Amino acid sequence: GIGTNGTNMNDFWEYNPALEGLTTSDNDLVSISTYPNPAVNHITFSNLPMTDNSELSIYNSFGQIVATYQVNATQMIVQRNNLAAGTYFYTLSSDQKLLTKGSFIFK
């Protein structure tokens, strides 16, 4: 959380073990689209970059991986299957480099 070392800090940091080992800078992140959001039966990821070894990982609100997919197209449709209603987070990575991250909702 926020803290002080004599100077009050105004930024907030959270440790996420799911992102351990991935490197990036905000300037390197790619922009992809997720729709519909919120979703009912499936979520579509579009504008995915075509890179070798790209992997889309989906996490629940506890930071646990609930699904992982190899990316081999610029668009993917991910079925809800048995995922409960709620907020989910995703990362898109390639060769231990974080390409983007975001969230979506299943109603």
Side-chain angles (χ1 to χ4, degrees), residues 6-23:
T7 303
N8 290 331
M9 308 294 178
N10 64 358
D11 55 350
F12 191 84
W13 293 83
E14 175 185 7
Y15 174 71
N16 185 341
L19 299 178
E20 182 65 30
L22 297 177
T23 60

Side-chain angles (χ1 to χ4, degrees), residues 27-71:
N27 295 334
D28 294 336
L29 296 180
V30 297
S31 178
I32 65 172
S33 299
T34 54
Y35 59 89
N37 195 6
V40 176
N41 297 316
H42 66 273
I43 187 89
T44 301
F45 294 85
S46 65
N47 301 326
L48 296 168
M50 293 298 296
T51 61
D52 293 335
N53 305 318
S54 291
E55 185 174 83
L56 178 70
S57 299
I58 298 176
Y59 305 84
N60 63 17
S61 59
F62 299 108
Q64 301 164 322
I65 294 178
V66 295
T68 301
Y69 304 94
Q70 291 301 119
V71 177

